[in-house]
Amino acid sequence: MAFGADELRVLRRALAIALHPSAVQDEDIRDCLRLADSVDEAVREGERLRAFLLADLDRYRDALPGSLPGYTELLQDALAAGYQPGPDDLAALRALRSDPVCEALLERCRRIAERSVRARLAGRAVAAPDRRGRLLTLVGGGAAGGDGSADPRPGTPARPAPAPERPVPKPSEVFPPRRRPEPPAEERRAG
């Protein structure tokens, strides 16, 4: 994301306000809110572009082998943007292994997938796009992170405690015992 000269000026003023909150003017607050809206819109646009790229990648993968050049180009772009290749990508590249570009992409995707699995097994989160909440400016030096780690604001109700887990029912509670069908009355008398 690139900032223009005016946006950098507003960002510099926002940082100065954060360091010295006593010198806040209404115009500075409006500029900061406009910058926050612009950043939020850029993030939303980036997410829309990513969703479009992934949908396009799926369409090209479904049309393989006829769409090989387009698929390999889109996959390379997606990998450069942080895409984690899935089983469908690996299977498609394995099927097209005779192509040298596909062979190289297969090795690259295998390495990325292996790193991803190792990171999950180690208990670390795999790198994902930053999902932050709305940018807030709090006068007075207070800070609220987008991750919800800051103390709640006064007057804000606390989050309710999670509901207790329900016990897992026994099979006999879910499936009542079957009763044997009674023989007809005629068979009972004869026997």
Side-chain angles (χ1 to χ4, degrees), residues 50 79 81-86 109 111-131:
R50 178 176 167 78
L79 292 173
Y83 173 68
Q84 298 288 324
C109 288
R111 284 192 305 271
I112 292 171
E114 186 176 310
R115 260 187 269 136
S116 173
V117 168
R118 285 186 181 171
R120 274 188 250 135
L121 290 175
R124 291 177 283 155
V126 178
D130 182 23
R131 305 254 190 254

Side-chain angles (χ1 to χ4, degrees), residues 73-129:
E73 183 179 328
L74 282 173
L75 183 58
Q76 289 173 350
D77 290 346
L79 292 173
Y83 173 68
Q84 298 288 324
D88 293 339
D89 296 308
L90 295 171
L93 290 171
R94 267 189 227 108
L96 301 166
R97 197 179 307 186
S98 60
D99 185 69
V101 174
C102 289
E103 179 68 29
L105 269 174
L106 178 61
E107 288 306 313
R108 182 176 174 193
C109 288
R110 278 183 184 161
R111 284 192 305 271
I112 292 171
E114 186 176 310
R115 260 187 269 136
S116 173
V117 168
R118 285 186 181 171
R120 274 188 250 135
L121 290 175
R124 291 177 283 155
V126 178

